[in-house]
Amino acid sequence: MKPFAYVKPVDIGAAVAAGAAPGAKFLGGGTNLVDLMREGIEQPDTVVDVTGLPLSAVDDLPNGGLRIGALVRNSDLAADRRVRARYPVLSQALLSGASGQLRNMATVGGNLLQRTRCPYFYDEASACNKRDPGSGCDALDGFNRSCAILGVSDDCIAAHPSDMCVALTALDAVVEVTGTGGTRRIPLTELHRLPGQTPHIETDLAPGDLITAVELPTATGNSAYRKVRDRASYAFALVSVAAGLQIENGAVTDIRLALGGVAPKPWRARQAEQLLAGGPADEAAFRRAAQAELASAAVRPGNAFKVALATNTIVATLRELSNEGTRR
Amino acid sequence: MSIQTETTTDTAPYVGRPVERLDGPAKVSGQARFAAENHYPDMAYAALVHATIARGRIAAIDTAAACAVPDVIAVLTHENAPAMIPAPKLSLLDLSTVASATSVNYLATDEVHWNGQPVAVVVAETWETARHAASLVDLSYEELPAVVDFAAEAPNAVPERSMPLMPSKADKGKAAQALADAPFSVDLQFSTPPHNHNAIEPHATTAVWDGDQLTLHEPAQNIPWLRKHLAKRFGIPEEAVRIISPFVGGAFGGKSRAWPGVLIAAMAARATGRPVRLALTRAGVYHTVGGRTPSTQRVALGADAQGKLTALIHTSVSRTGRVGGMAEPITAASRHLYAVPNIHLSQRSVELDLLSNTFMRAPGEAIGTFALESAVDELAWRMGMDPIALRMLNEPDRDPAGGQRFTHRMLREAYTRGAENFGWHQRDPRAGARRDGPWLVGMGVATAYHPSMRMPASVTLRLHADGTVVMRCGMHEMGMGSATVQAQIVADEMGVPLASVHVEYGDSDLPPSAGAIGSVQTASVAAGVIAASTMLKRSLLTLARRAPGSPLRGRKLEDLQARDSGLHHPDGGQTYAEILSAAGRDHLEAAFKPSMLGFVARMAIDSRRWVTGASGAQFCEVRVNADTGEIRVSRWLGVFDVGTVINPRTAASQLRGGIIMGIGAALSEQTLIDGRTGRIMNPSLSEYHVPVHADIPHIDVDWLNEPDPTTPLGMHGIGEVGITGVAAAVANAIRHATGKRVVDLPITLDKLL
Ligand SMILES: Cc1cc2nc3c(=O)[nH]c(=O)nc-3n(C[C@H](O)[C@H](O)[C@H](O)COP(=O)(O)OP(=O)(O)OC[C@H]3O[C@@H](n4cnc5c(N)ncnc54)[C@H](O)[C@@H]3O)c2cc1C
Ligand code: SF4
């Protein structure tokens, strides 16, 4: 690990100023950043520890929504009673991620900005456009089981690894960011960028942009998170589905669907949602919608199975939610 | 390490009792010291630099930036490292040559033989500094064409020599013809991936030189081999090498040879004149310690209309590294399991520009039984027979390949008991018939088999006047309870309370043990304990008979019982304390030292007379998600025939551990070696998927507990048999749940979509 300077500001202004300096990196729980520093993938000159900032509260919003401080630990957020009752999809997503020890450390802000698990990104000896722009992409013809099939480019097919983000995307979360130019609010669906020809640029954030909170609008009923992976726990999603579904008289009145493990960013499945909205809530409709969403999939031999897996997992998750709906 | 037993009230016999592990308290209280936990004043820390190409030469190596880092003591490369003597070639006259893990003489030349080979070592005042400086060593290469893709190279495989005394091959009758003539047959191709060891303790060495004396704290599975190897490499007498290895944090075969770390640590310590600790990172272990070979296998079976097997063909292709590695007995278990008149077993292999393969729990049998036992199951499907009935029908009375008798064979009993306790008879024989919500439920069985072997082990027993018995043997404690079970045996043989037994182990200053490999250690050391205690009791009797008035005068050892800390006859006896004190002695010692030559001769004769193996019946229930293909093992029962069980607690843990590792092989474990570069792409516990707790159900293990008449106390080694058959039982259960036969490990969910 390259030697670095360490600062721990206690107010947001100082944090933003320190973070805006060249070579500076914010440190949340450190569960991703420190790993990457050990591997030499990230080599900050200054580490700005933000865990001393007063951003650890979860507050009710007047409109019935929730405001989650950027430093709330993943474990605490998953256990929050309001989250469990009103946003079960979020609690389930958090609990399906990493391990208990990691969730105890991981923060909301850090989780939003965790980096891909593409094996070639993690290996300095490999070609990777994301790590080393212009060097090539060893994943294209290499091990790409973990890689994405939607929204990819010829330059990068890495998947965004977060579970929490998938749930937040389905919930229409908004991210609050404070930078050198003040505070702004970014819908989560717009925080991350697709790779295109610049896979090393992953978000619209500028140096010094500090994530301070995530806000959730009022909850809209039944929701669930389903994660499919290579072992029962402690593995990243091959495919995950965050879904919210409301049905009245057999017709879909509200649908939110987001996918994980299949795209370079938490993937809101708008096409599927449009097909389902107002229509019948049955297996055939779920399948048609899932297939439409995945129609544009660009697969490699190692991840071609994700089309069928994602389709089936969407159907299974919606089926489960609609069954729960009818049981009520 | 020396361990004193805690239990004071117990009395013999101890063999067969679930005595708690004697090293347990030391481990849970943090007192057990592992190799990387030994501190020396003035100690320095080392970090390796690994090559990033598979084959070629180092064109340039620039260490200026690394040397410029404050607190860096030395950067050793092929340009400045002191030369080691090359590794000895494998010779059966000196089994310690097996310790030569590769033929590479590290840091001696500019050649690169595998992706990940150490090409430099940095020694610094702190570990962090060493690692950072290591990342600054700048290398450029002249690459040479490398052959690293096993699947692509497998068709070019050449016949492999089997290991002497451990045959894998067999040719009996006309297998191809019998297969063609058989009314029922299966002919399947299988593949298994490379695997790597993931012991909880990554390899670590603390090396200290005092003149030409080398002391090493090193997790070792075979201290005598390693000691000899190091002496040869550094040109010093064997007696000048001391290896201290009281606790090994898991090994599974990965710590049985001299991998680069220990050699480079010793070299760095000698070059810098400082005690050096070289603790590998997890990725460092993947890059410098070999693993299990991948394989492709064919199993073809022919049967008559009743299900009697008429043909068995099992062939395999595996790989070694160009720099080392050896045949793994993939088809070996197929010699012993089914009564078939026509058998063809053969193994081929390819040499790749990768690190040597090496022993990993049941090398050969673990993956060979996957193919064989899957094929037997598939034949049962094809014939509409119950897979247990098919096995029962073909259970041999003598060894099918060699014709010898079995010393012990209870597979029928294992299956009968297992079927009863697992509820096999409630199983609906149709595929995909049982469903629980989205989950398809299936049951499968497979046979476990591992040969029982022994190696020579020296043991010294010393009896003190206070009645304590000190057992000394440089055996290896890798977490399996070695000291505990040997203490039980000593206590019984000498007739003393367990609490009076002291066991010293894990040190090259002690009499040399058999290695903790091939499931041989417990039985081998037990043989030494029995021999040494007989010698000790004989000497005691001799002493006693010299004393006037001893009630033991005129007695023969055969007529006496060792109990209550003495030698007793119904007409009277004496305690050891009395014997020693009458003779004016404060202690008496017996040292058993077997001769290697005699041992090998005996082994050769025995292997012609009979076949000895541990075996078992593995029962598995799986649930397969109909939507996603996710697989969950939901129940397990293994019923084993492992002879006498010395300690049910430690035995259950070994068998269970084997089963868990087998479930890993079945469902998730796989080393990803990039076919373009030979680079391991998942060298971490995050991406190399060993099973986690959530993957493992409660595992029942059971054993028949019938002694084998030819082994010490009737026992078999149990370290490896547990993993065998497991992957097949899982695959067979999946076949039952879904109707799909998966022939490629690991059985990941995409194979069931
Ligand atoms: C073995 C392992 C398994 C895992 N498995 C899963 C899994 O299954 N599912 C899953 O979703 N995740 C998984 N994770 C990832 C884990 O969720 C992330 O590492 C964690 O959420 C990151 O949070 P952190 O606070 O530790 O971030 P850090 O490591 O501290 O930071 C991550 C990034 O965010 C930036 N950052 C941190 N806070 C802020 C802020 N307030 N404003 C702006 N930038 C900020 C940092 O500069 C850095 O670039 C796993 C991690 C490991 C190590
Ligand atoms: S997929 Fe993206 S992250 Fe992976 S190697 Fe290619 S460029 Fe790098």
Side-chain angles (χ1 to χ4, degrees):
Chain A
M1 195 187 288
K2 198 186 81 175
F4 55 88
Y6 172 86
V7 294
K8 189 169 180 182
V10 289
D11 70 80
I12 291 173
V16 169
K25 246 346 208 168
F26 291 126
L27 178 79
T31 61
N32 189 216
L33 181 64
V34 176
D35 263 8
L36 291 167
M37 287 167 66
R38 278 205 201 102
E39 300 299 326
I41 313 292
E42 299 264 23
Q43 303 200 349
D45 298 318
T46 305
V47 166
V48 182
D49 184 345
V50 297
T51 58
L53 303 177
L55 300 172
S56 297
V58 181
D59 295 314
D60 281 305
L61 289 172
N63 64 4
L66 213 55
R67 181 185 165 85
I68 303 159
L71 288 171
V72 175
R73 306 281 174 174
N74 286 186
S75 302
D76 295 335
L77 187 58
D80 189 283
R81 278 166 188 239
R82 293 158 294 183
V83 173
R84 283 169 53 188
R86 280 145 55 185
Y87 309 96
V89 62
L90 177 57
S91 180
Q92 291 166 16
L94 284 161
L95 291 176
S96 75
S99 64
Q101 295 92 326
L102 287 159
R103 295 194 295 270
N104 286 344
M105 290 302 291
T107 63
V108 167
N111 195 320
L112 286 168
L113 297 186
Q114 64 170 296
R115 306 198 67 189
T116 186
R117 293 284 160 168
C118 172
Y120 300 94
F121 173 72
Y122 254 81
D123 178 41
E124 269 201 301
S126 301
C128 170
N129 289 325
K130 187 188 276 298
R131 177 168 37 73
D132 184 7
S135 62
C137 171
D138 273 347
L140 288 175
D141 296 316
F143 295 114
N144 45 37
R145 183 177 179 80
S146 74
C147 291
I149 55 173
L150 295 171
V152 295
S153 74
D154 290 343
D155 286 344
C156 180
I157 58 171
H160 195 272
S162 168
D163 291 299
M164 179 193 82
C165 288
V166 182
L168 289 179
T169 298
L171 293 170
D172 285 327
V174 173
V175 180
E176 185 187 86
V177 175
T178 301
T180 45
T183 296
R184 57 196 203 280
R185 295 163 50 83
I186 310 171
L188 179 52
T189 46
E190 286 162 35
L191 179 73
H192 299 94
R193 283 198 195 177
L194 291 179
Q197 293 179 335
T198 53
H200 58 292
I201 304 174
E202 295 174 346
T203 65
D204 279 342
L205 299 182
D209 274 350
L210 177 73
I211 296 174
T212 46
V214 171
E215 289 192 358
L216 297 179
T218 326
T220 55
N222 224 357
S223 68
Y225 190 72
R226 175 77 163 92
K227 176 174 179 180
V228 182
R229 46 185 148 177
D230 272 331
R231 59 183 167 191
S233 171
Y234 198 54
F236 289 90
L238 292 167
V239 161
S240 69
V241 174
L245 181 64
Q246 270 192 306
I247 305 170
E248 271 164 43
N249 302 323
V252 173
T253 56
D254 186 44
I255 170 76
R256 316 141 162 276
L257 194 63
L259 306 178
V262 293
K265 58 185 272 185
W267 190 261
R268 186 73 185 252
R270 298 274 187 211
Q271 287 189 57
E273 288 181 356
Q274 274 162 24
L275 280 174
L276 285 167
D282 59 25
E283 180 109 2
F286 298 156
R287 191 160 293 276
R288 266 197 311 278
Q291 283 166 345
E293 188 66 43
L294 288 148
S296 62
V299 302
R300 313 293 304 181
N303 64 12
F305 70 95
K306 286 189 176 179
V307 174
L309 182 62
T311 308
N312 290 357
T313 312
I314 293 171
V315 173
T317 312
L318 294 178
R319 184 202 301 135
E320 186 70 15
L321 277 173
S322 65
N323 288 346
E324 269 175 39
T326 20
R327 273 203 298 274
R328 276 186 190 170
Chain B
M1 183 66 201
S2 151
I3 290 274
Q4 170 95 56
T5 63
E6 303 277 340
T7 351
T8 44
T9 51
D10 291 343
T11 55
Y14 295 97
V15 166
R17 295 230 308 256
V19 174
E20 283 175 23
R21 284 235 309 255
L22 305 179
D23 52 336
K27 282 188 176 159
V28 295
S29 63
Q31 281 163 4
R33 221 99 37 94
F34 291 82
E37 297 174 319
N38 290 280
H39 293 272
Y40 282 86
D42 207 27
M43 189 168 77
Y45 298 78
L48 298 176
V49 180
H50 302 272
T52 54
I53 62 162
R55 185 161 167 256
R57 288 181 182 284
I58 299 168
I61 184 159
D62 181 353
T63 60
C67 291
V69 174
D71 287 346
V72 166
I73 300 161
V75 181
L76 301 176
T77 73
H78 67 279
E79 291 174 347
N80 64 348
M84 275 186 297
I85 295 164
K89 289 213 174 60
L90 180 65
S91 151
L92 290 166
L93 300 176
D94 176 0
L95 283 182
S96 80
T97 54
V98 174
S100 298
T102 78
S103 57
V104 179
N105 206 5
Y106 307 109
L107 312 193
T109 75
D110 58 0
E111 292 165 46
V112 174
H113 302 276
W114 81 86
N115 201 324
Q117 177 190 319
V119 289
V121 61
V122 176
V123 185
E125 299 293 344
T126 70
W127 191 62
E128 290 77 8
T129 307
R131 273 197 79 186
H132 171 55
S135 75
L136 299 178
V137 173
D138 194 21
L139 285 142
S140 59
Y141 304 96
E142 275 165 33
E143 284 195 58
L144 290 169
V147 185
V148 294
D149 187 339
F150 174 68
E153 206 53 28
N156 305 327
V158 297
E160 196 170 60
R161 273 181 299 162
S162 14
M163 302 264 280
L165 301 178
M166 292 172 57
S168 300
K169 292 191 278 194
D171 255 311
K172 185 173 108 173
K174 293 197 165 84
Q177 190 58 46
L179 180 70
D181 294 345
F184 290 93
S185 63
V186 292
D187 194 341
L188 297 173
Q189 291 285 341
F190 298 88
S191 75
T192 65
H195 292 146
N196 273 78
H197 312 83
N198 279 286
I200 192 93
E201 175 203 31
H203 296 56
T205 306
T206 306
V208 192
W209 288 88
D210 180 359
D212 274 344
Q213 298 272 329
L214 172 62
T215 301
L216 286 168
H217 299 270
E218 165 79 8
Q221 273 179 274
N222 200 320
I223 294 170
W225 285 3
L226 182 65
R227 183 189 204 195
K228 253 194 179 164
H229 184 88
L230 287 161
K232 285 183 194 155
R233 299 303 292 271
F234 290 99
I236 52 177
E238 222 179 297
E239 301 69 46
V241 180
R242 167 108 187 262
I243 296 171
I244 304 172
S245 188
F247 294 111
V248 179
F252 310 108
K255 292 170 179 164
S256 50
R257 309 170 81 188
W259 297 102
V262 60
L263 293 163
I264 294 175
M267 172 204 280
R270 199 178 212 184
T272 57
R274 301 270 299 262
V276 165
R277 178 189 300 163
L278 174 53
L280 297 186
T281 60
R282 182 63 62 182
V285 177
Y286 276 82
H287 291 313
T288 64
V289 178
R292 191 192 297 286
T293 180
S295 75
T296 60
Q297 301 179 54
R298 174 190 176 208
V299 179
L301 298 168
D304 69 15
Q306 282 68 49
K308 274 278 197 193
L309 291 174
T310 55
L312 162 58
I313 296 173
H314 188 176
T315 62
S316 67
V317 178
S318 65
R319 71 138 156 92
T320 58
R322 217 178 289 289
V323 293
M326 53 181 72
E328 298 186 20
I330 296 174
T331 61
S334 296
R335 290 175 56 90
H336 310 301
L337 290 181
Y338 297 101
V340 200
N342 302 289
I343 301 180
H344 171 74
L345 312 176
S346 64
Q347 302 199 159
R348 289 179 301 144
S349 70
V350 293
E351 258 184 19
L352 301 185
D353 295 302
L354 297 173
L355 177 54
S356 326
N357 64 313
T358 196
F359 317 119
M360 181 165 170
R361 207 171 201 161
E365 290 91 359
I367 53 179
T369 52
F370 163 64
L372 175 69
E373 290 298 290
S374 294
V376 169
D377 191 73
E378 196 53 32
L379 181 67
W381 281 100
R382 211 144 298 176
M383 302 198 65
M385 273 183 86
D386 178 274
I388 296 181
L390 179 66
R391 287 181 172 87
M392 293 280 199
L393 184 67
N394 290 288
E395 175 63 11
D397 298 322
R398 297 180 80 84
D399 189 66
Q404 308 95 316
R405 67 185 178 83
F406 295 119
T407 59
H408 198 249
R409 179 84 166 195
M410 302 185 73
L411 264 173
R412 281 201 180 92
E413 290 82 347
Y415 270 108
T416 305
R417 187 188 291 190
E420 183 68 30
N421 294 341
F422 201 64
W424 181 261
H425 303 298
Q426 279 95 60
R427 172 184 183 261
D428 185 330
R430 295 166 304 159
R434 209 175 128 204
R435 201 168 165 138
D436 178 7
W439 298 94
L440 300 161
V441 186
M443 282 191 208
V445 292
T447 297
Y449 185 87
H450 192 269
S452 290
M453 296 169 291
R454 289 194 297 284
M455 298 291 280
S458 301
V459 172
T460 300
L461 291 180
R462 177 188 278 231
L463 174 71
H464 289 272
D466 64 1
T468 54
V469 180
V470 178
M471 169 190 168
R472 305 178 82 233
C473 173
M475 63 182 175
H476 313 84
E477 174 59 274
M478 315 192 294
M480 67 286 221
S482 312
T484 310
V485 298
Q486 299 301 343
Q488 290 174 258
I489 297 171
V490 170
D492 279 5
E493 292 298 316
M494 292 305 299
V496 298
L498 189 59
S500 302
V501 181
H502 247 328
V503 184
E504 292 177 12
Y505 57 92
D507 192 327
S508 62
D509 274 0
L510 297 170
S513 168
I517 51 167
S519 299
V520 307
Q521 182 172 268
T522 303
S524 303
V525 175
V529 166
I530 293 166
S533 38
T534 305
M535 290 164 71
L536 185 57
K537 285 181 284 192
R538 237 176 248 297
S539 312
L540 279 161
L541 184 57
T542 309
L543 268 194
R545 283 193 303 216
R546 276 195 218 128
S550 162
L552 295 173
R553 281 185 83 110
R555 297 285 179 209
K556 285 193 297 211
L557 188 59
E558 293 68 41
D559 304 328
L560 301 176
Q561 249 194 324
R563 63 171 159 81
D564 303 323
S565 299
L567 291 174
H568 297 276
H569 186 270
D571 303 337
Q574 265 184 307
T575 65
Y576 300 140
E578 286 164 356
I579 298 172
L580 289 182
S581 109
R585 305 282 286 263
D586 64 0
H587 75 270
L588 193 62
E589 188 171 285
F592 172 70
K593 292 184 200 140
S595 101
M596 186 69 198
L597 217 59
F599 193 89
V600 173
R602 175 73 195 277
M603 193 167 149
I605 293 167
D606 284 354
S607 72
R608 257 179 253 144
R609 286 200 294 176
W610 57 54
V611 165
T612 310
S615 59
Q618 308 271 21
F619 288 79
C620 165
E621 182 191 84
V622 297
R623 302 160 78 82
V624 179
N625 190 292
D627 292 309
T628 60
E630 289 159 293
I631 303 156
R632 300 285 181 263
V633 175
S634 45
R635 289 198 298 136
W636 200 280
L637 168 65
V639 181
F640 295 94
D641 169 23
V642 289
T644 307
V645 166
I646 307 297
N647 181 329
R649 187 189 297 260
T650 55
S653 163
Q654 282 296 302
L655 294 168
R656 227 175 243 137
I659 291 165
I660 292 170
M661 217 158 155
I663 292 174
L667 297 180
S668 57
E669 285 191 43
Q670 171 172 29
T671 307
L672 300 176
I673 301 176
D674 195 305
R676 300 164 295 184
T677 59
R679 206 163 162 75
I680 295 177
M681 294 313 302
N682 60 340
S684 75
L685 288 174
S686 167
E687 302 303 328
Y688 180 100
H689 290 150
V690 298
V692 294
H693 283 294
D695 291 303
I696 302 299
H698 173 72
I699 293 174
D700 272 326
V701 289
D702 194 4
W703 44 77
L704 302 169
N705 217 11
E706 287 284 331
D708 182 305
T710 64
T711 62
L713 302 175
M715 76 173 92
H716 288 232
I718 50 172
E720 290 167 288
V721 67
I723 190 177
T724 65
V726 171
V730 173
N732 298 343
I734 289 171
R735 171 72 172 82
H736 181 225
T738 65
K740 288 186 187 149
R741 166 65 58 196
V742 182
V743 291
D744 301 309
L745 295 184
I747 308 176
T748 45
L749 55 85
D750 46 299
K751 293 172 184 161
L752 297 174
L753 276 175

